[in-house]
Amino acid sequence: MKVLLAVTLVVYVAAGWVRGADLVEEWKVDVDEGELRDLKARLGSTRLPGVVIGEEDSWDRGMNVRDLQHLLRYWKDDYDWRSVEKAINEELPQYRTTIAGNTLHFAHLKSPNASAIPLIMVHGWPGSILEFRQITPLLRSRFHIVLPSLPGYGFSRHSGKEGVHQVVTADLFVALMSRLGYPTFVAQGGDWGSVVVSALGANYPERCRAIHLNMVPLSMPLMAPSFFTKARGLLTALFPSWFLLENETPASVTFPKVLKEAGYFYEQSTKPQTLAVGLTDSPAGLLAWITEKLWRWSDLGDRPFVGGKYTEEEIITMTMWYWITDTAYSSVNYYYEFLPLFLDGSYFTLRVDVPTALANFPEEVMEPPRCDAEPFYNIQRYTHFPRGGHFAAMEEPELLADDMIAFFDSLYGDTPWVNRVEL
């Protein structure tokens, strides 16, 4: 009996780390060959619209037809998933654990510096932890890095329960950091990641000691509960020259841009299940839906989109992550879960008092002036960059990494990180 118990314990420990009833198991991406054959068959039978209205290389009506055809040919004939899969597994040590009934997938890159700062970086839609592949080598000497997949994204399987929104995600990620032995940490995020990280800073200031954002979600003073904040927001919109700093964009310019690009947001926030049918059944549909946003929200400069700003492999891999995990529906449903927090104003009652850095990239769709963000954040660093867009970690990893290091070092660089437990 004792031998059997010992063998059982060895097997249990070999599967991962054990801390009481908590289990963290190692994980590697390994897509079934049948899934890849099914994908190739679907790509081979793609039916695109039979009529092209306007120029086929135009983005005015959405996805560029010429680029879509090129990417579909590459995906079917030239893309090597097994090579990409191998590289992901080599670059990102991955794990899975279950917290409050939610299976969370994450990468954990420990720094060679034992006293490095624990850092959680949170992605958004249509991104994933793969966004951080270029920036993590620039950060690893200073930080122990945790890269969680949002609930319902990647290999973080959705529980099927309603109400797993961004504030709940912050609760889950605090528990994850505790499970990994990090009672205190700092956080960084963009897109939905900036919403989750803002909730971390607001609701867990004793745990999340500082935050860095490359998108500013709490920046709508007219939604704030304070009358003074509402009044100031209205005056800023009416008389921007009184309040705006150099290089800041007034709401009269930002709001129409956001409104024009918000069609996807309305659909995903209200009817995700309808949209998910096409995205789940058609790899071409999923590619077009994701790639149009990658093009629209990136700073292209003078470079072509395909083969210039991004390689074909990068674009297809971004789409593959949603296809192989069957998370088209659960990922867009994240918008549906957020909508009540937005409409009832409860999200805008958050106030982040921990030190905050805001990184403002010029082609970010949501580009609020500092004065609109100040009622919600304790802003200690505010940086305007000469280039870059929504996907900052992919587009400008050096700029983002340097800004993060400068900010967190200004707070904690002179002393080793304290109150940390080793795995």
Side-chain angles (χ1 to χ4, degrees), residues 56-74:
E56 65 176 13
D57 60 352
S58 170
W59 294 87
D60 291 346
R61 291 173 171 81
M63 180 68 207
N64 178 318
V65 175
R66 185 175 294 172
D67 280 354
L68 178 60
Q69 292 171 336
H70 171 75
L71 288 168
L72 287 170
R73 282 193 297 269
Y74 172 83

Side-chain angles (χ1 to χ4, degrees), residues 148-192:
S149 296
L150 292 168
Y153 286 68
F155 292 97
S156 286
R157 304 302 300 175
H158 198 281
S159 65
K161 298 176 182 177
E162 297 180 322
V164 184
H165 51 63
Q166 291 70 15
V167 178
V168 170
T169 300
D171 301 337
L172 297 174
F173 286 175
V174 164
L176 173 63
M177 295 300 278
S178 294
R179 187 164 293 184
L180 296 179
Y182 301 127
T184 57
F185 54 89
V186 298
Q188 198 283 330
D191 196 85
W192 281 135

Side-chain angles (χ1 to χ4, degrees), residues 330-346:
S330 53
S331 63
V332 300
N333 183 71
Y334 209 51
Y335 288 74
Y336 183 89
E337 301 294 352
F338 179 72
L339 190 60
L341 305 182
F342 182 89
L343 294 179
D344 67 14
S346 59

Side-chain angles (χ1 to χ4, degrees), residues 6-20:
V7 171
T8 302
L9 183 59
V10 167
V11 171
Y12 190 54
V13 172
W17 303 306
V18 181
R19 186 173 281 109

Side-chain angles (χ1 to χ4, degrees), residues 201-214:
N203 294 340
Y204 296 95
E206 75 288 354
R207 303 287 312 281
C208 181
R209 307 310 301 270
I211 68 172
H212 183 287
L213 307 176
N214 60 281

Side-chain angles (χ1 to χ4, degrees), residues 124-354:
W125 183 91
S128 70
I129 66 170
L130 303 186
E131 287 180 58
F132 304 124
R133 291 170 69 187
Q134 296 178 62
I135 197 173
T136 48
L138 307 177
L139 298 172
R140 202 166 179 181
S141 65
R142 308 290 189 96
F143 302 95
H144 300 298
I145 307 170
V146 178
L147 308 175
S149 296
L150 292 168
Y153 286 68
F155 292 97
S156 286
R157 304 302 300 175
H158 198 281
S159 65
K161 298 176 182 177
E162 297 180 322
V164 184
H165 51 63
Q166 291 70 15
V167 178
V168 170
T169 300
D171 301 337
L172 297 174
F173 286 175
V174 164
L176 173 63
M177 295 300 278
S178 294
R179 187 164 293 184
L180 296 179
Y182 301 127
T184 57
F185 54 89
V186 298
Q188 198 283 330
D191 196 85
W192 281 135
S194 69
V195 180
V196 173
V197 167
S198 295
L200 283 170
N203 294 340
Y204 296 95
E206 75 288 354
R207 303 287 312 281
C208 181
R209 307 310 301 270
I211 68 172
H212 183 287
L213 307 176
N214 60 281
M215 191 184 91
V216 188
L218 285 170
S219 57
M220 300 181 69
L222 295 180
M223 296 289 290
S226 163
F227 173 79
F228 173 77
T229 301
K230 291 179 188 290
R232 180 177 174 178
L234 181 61
L235 288 173
T236 302
L238 295 174
F239 307 103
S241 61
W242 295 2
F243 299 94
L244 299 191
L245 303 175
E246 185 180 358
N247 297 324
E248 290 190 326
T249 306
S252 59
V253 174
T254 302
F255 183 73
K257 182 172 71 171
V258 171
L259 192 64
K260 183 179 179 181
E261 296 304 320
Y264 82 99
F265 187 93
Y266 302 141
E267 183 68 18
Q268 295 184 174
S269 298
T270 57
K271 301 295 183 291
Q273 193 163 285
T274 303
L275 177 65
V277 176
L279 300 185
T280 302
D281 187 62
S282 169
L286 182 64
L287 175 64
W289 192 250
I290 288 176
T291 304
E292 190 267 328
K293 291 303 163 211
L294 185 61
W295 173 83
R296 183 69 64 180
W297 296 344
S298 296
D299 184 3
L300 301 182
D302 297 327
R303 291 169 291 180
F305 172 60
V306 178
K309 180 68 175 182
Y310 301 104
T311 66
E312 290 90 342
E313 182 178 286
E314 287 175 319
I315 297 169
I316 298 303
T317 299
M318 192 171 184
T319 305
M320 275 289 284
W321 200 249
Y322 285 83
W323 183 264
I324 61 176
T325 57
D326 188 21
T327 51
Y329 176 31
S330 53
S331 63
V332 300
N333 183 71
Y334 209 51
Y335 288 74
Y336 183 89
E337 301 294 352
F338 179 72
L339 190 60
L341 305 182
F342 182 89
L343 294 179
D344 67 14
S346 59
Y347 179 68
F348 297 96
T349 63
L350 294 180
R351 162 70 191 183
V352 181
D353 289 318
V354 300

